[in-house]
Amino acid sequence: MTSTPSKPKNASQGAATPNAPALWQQLDAVAKALHGILGGQSSKTVLAQVPPRLRPGVQALLFQVLRNLGRAQALQKQLVSRAPAPKVSALLSTALALAWDEDHAPYPPFTLVNQAVEAAKNGSARAQSGFINGCLRRFLRERDELVAATDGDPVAVWNHPAWWIARLKKDHPQDWQAILAANNDQPPMTLRVNKQKCTPVQYQSALAAMNLKAQLVADAGLQLEHAAPVQELPHFEEGWASVQDGAAQAAAPLLLNGMALPQGRPLRVLDACAAPGGKTAHLLEHAAPGSIEVTALEIDPERARRIGETLARLGLQAKVVVADASKPQDWFESQCGGLPFDAILLDAPCTASGIVRRQPDVRWLRRESDVAQLATIQSKLLDTLWPLLQPGGRMVYCTCSVFKSEGDVQVQAFLTRNTTVTSLPAAGHLLPGSAAKVAPVSDNPLGDHDGFFYALLEKSR
């Protein structure tokens, strides 16, 4: 979780408090990270390259920059006639994104400008420090006029690519503005309580004893009033709780609730795209001990290792298989004995358009062509995994996307081409920040949650 960095007492000078890095050092690191993201790297990758002592502050500032990047780039076009070199542009965008709105700036705008110029003098943009100084001083003098000049640009107003805004207008004509606004907010920190260790109410009391307020959400969730490091949460390392958004917590109950247990054996469940293991663990936590056996499938060996680590902390067991879900010929017989599954969770690869507030780099990394490419992968996975399901069995298809081509449109196409499937009540598209209002979860609010899509599909007997 990230938060806006607090303003030091001497913020007007931009000086560092004892043992803390100077602000110009953080801005320099943010600009370098932004340059990497605009070059196609993820925020996770670029932040891993930041020195550990700088990383918390840099991440908080970087995420704020990414949530204001559209406005910053529009302001930059007002200030310069020709696009500057990419590293210079990244530093300008960093300063403008943080300083354009004084009410939400982490430091006074003139401090941010002073320290950005200092970053230029001491960093890779040294030769352009005078140019950066001139641009940013003009910004301070003409800020209101420059901001007003960009107010007609939807990318500046909403801080999303134009194609993304257009798609949301088409997919959600009544809600597109609310979705975009939610994407630019900081998300809450939500926990999933391991009910095999304690109840949500008991864990809520344990949090309260540490002056951490939380409200009950979902089937086993607690939404914290203020984020806290996981190391400070009670019994976290002993597996009492995990960090998981409320919308993501809907998967396991949707798949398992109401399923009849087979006689003489556990329920066979496949988590088809399982890393990092949160939903795998929730399936095991939600079911009665010994009532299910879960196969967790993951194509990436490193991400598969993370599933094992997640389960070990929680004291749970599943069969982790490193394989491509779209190629069952490589694993279904050899690893699963060719026995069909009673239930399948397909949390399919997607654009992640529903979790932009948690991963604000996603909007700038995605390309419009990615949507169709990922929809093709999703369609193939549905068609490939459906034959592995027992007659009478259930599949949950879900994505952390608000784009309909990855949700409702995808499922409707699958229903059209498949005569053995019945669609059961499910949430459909959950919009970020909103409370679920659909029948399956209306009596069990998910809190302030991410965007998701859920379908529940049953196979004919």
Side-chain angles (χ1 to χ4, degrees):
M1 297 297 297
T2 63
S3 59
T4 301
S6 59
K7 299 178 185 178
K9 292 180 181 179
N10 51 358
S12 61
Q13 302 301 317
T17 54
N19 302 318
L23 179 55
W24 74 261
Q25 292 177 301
Q26 295 186 69
L27 295 178
D28 182 58
V30 171
K32 289 176 181 176
L34 178 61
H35 177 255
I37 289 170
L38 295 177
Q41 299 181 69
S42 70
S43 60
K44 179 180 178 182
T45 298
V46 297
L47 286 168
Q49 300 165 17
V50 176
R53 76 184 189 94
L54 289 174
R55 197 172 298 153
V58 168
Q59 178 173 320
L61 291 170
L62 175 63
F63 278 23
Q64 188 167 349
V65 167
L66 292 167
R67 293 186 178 112
N68 290 279
L69 185 58
R71 178 72 72 171
Q73 291 178 332
L75 288 169
Q76 189 177 145
K77 290 177 183 177
Q78 295 288 320
L79 291 165
V80 300
S81 56
R82 291 189 304 172
K87 290 184 179 179
V88 174
S89 177
L91 183 54
L92 278 174
S93 290
T94 293
L96 293 168
L98 295 172
W100 81 272
D101 181 359
E102 187 169 13
D103 290 340
H104 296 93
Y107 299 87
F110 72 88
T111 299
L112 288 162
V113 167
N114 287 342
Q115 292 298 294
V117 173
E118 197 68 21
K121 291 177 179 178
N122 290 277
S124 56
R126 185 179 299 110
Q128 296 294 317
S129 60
F131 169 76
I132 291 172
N133 181 59
C135 287
L136 294 179
R137 298 298 169 192
R138 180 188 165 199
F139 162 74
L140 287 180
R141 292 192 305 270
E142 304 175 19
R143 182 174 55 184
D144 292 347
E145 295 87 346
L146 291 167
V147 169
T150 63
D151 280 342
D153 181 354
V155 176
V157 172
W158 296 110
N159 290 292
H160 286 70
W163 70 265
W164 193 300
I165 297 170
R167 183 173 285 270
L168 286 181
K169 284 183 177 181
K170 180 182 177 182
D171 284 357
H172 303 283
Q174 305 300 317
D175 299 299
W176 66 274
Q177 291 175 311
I179 295 170
L180 292 169
N183 285 352
N184 289 324
D185 286 338
Q186 292 192 39
M189 182 176 183
T190 304
L191 307 177
R192 185 192 73 244
V193 177
N194 183 353
K195 292 200 292 187
Q196 296 189 15
K197 302 276 189 178
C198 68
T199 69
V201 171
Q202 288 171 333
Y203 201 77
Q204 185 183 38
S205 297
L207 290 171
M210 301 176 64
N211 295 317
L212 294 173
K213 294 182 180 180
Q215 65 177 12
L216 295 166
V217 297
D219 177 70
L222 287 167
Q223 183 176 303
L224 297 181
E225 186 174 290
H226 300 290
V230 294
Q231 299 87 347
E232 296 179 8
L233 299 177
H235 302 289
F236 185 83
E237 289 303 321
E238 289 82 33
W240 285 36
S242 302
V243 179
Q244 188 180 46
D245 180 76
Q249 293 186 39
L254 181 62
L255 183 62
L256 297 179
N257 285 358
M259 282 207 73
L261 292 175
Q263 290 187 347
R265 64 172 178 83
L267 202 70
R268 287 193 290 266
V269 181
L270 173 68
D271 187 351
C273 304
K279 295 184 181 68
T280 301
H282 194 193
L283 289 166
L284 292 161
E285 292 172 4
H286 188 75
S291 64
I292 66 171
E293 56 182 30
V294 178
T295 299
L297 207 62
E298 174 54 45
I299 190 172
D300 184 281
E302 178 60 24
R303 285 169 57 81
R305 184 182 63 80
R306 290 181 61 193
I307 300 173
E309 293 173 350
T310 297
L311 296 175
R313 181 182 66 83
L314 296 168
L316 302 169
Q317 289 187 330
K319 184 173 186 178
V320 180
V321 177
V322 180
D324 185 344
S326 69
K327 297 178 180 179
Q329 65 272 19
D330 295 340
W331 55 267
F332 184 52
E333 289 283 348
S334 60
Q335 299 289 332
C336 304
L339 297 172
F341 296 99
D342 301 293
I344 296 177
L345 173 58
L346 174 53
D347 184 4
C350 71
T351 58
S353 61
I355 58 172
V356 175
R357 59 185 191 164
R358 294 187 191 280
Q359 299 180 14
D361 56 328
V362 167
R363 72 189 88 179
W364 307 115
L365 290 171
R366 288 290 180 215
R367 299 293 178 264
E368 188 171 12
S369 58
D370 293 342
V371 182
Q373 292 172 2
L374 286 160
T376 299
I377 293 171
Q378 295 152 9
S379 178
K380 181 179 180 181
L381 285 169
L382 278 165
D383 289 339
T384 300
L385 294 174
W386 190 251
L388 310 186
L389 188 64
Q390 188 93 260
R394 289 180 175 182
M395 173 187 285
V396 163
Y397 169 80
C398 63
T399 61
C400 54
S401 176
V402 293
F403 295 152
K404 289 202 171 182
S405 62
E406 300 183 279
D408 186 61
V409 171
Q410 184 71 260
V411 169
Q412 292 305 316
F414 181 66
L415 292 170
T416 299
R417 65 178 182 267
N418 197 311
T419 59
T420 66
V421 58
T422 300
S423 180
L424 301 179
H429 282 282
L430 295 172
L431 306 184
S434 63
K437 297 180 178 65
V438 292
V441 288
S442 60
D443 60 343
N444 197 17
L446 303 176
D448 183 2
H449 57 73
D450 292 340
F452 247 85
F453 174 82
Y454 280 104
L456 178 59
L457 309 171
E458 187 174 71
K459 192 170 190 177
S460 302
R461 294 184 182 275

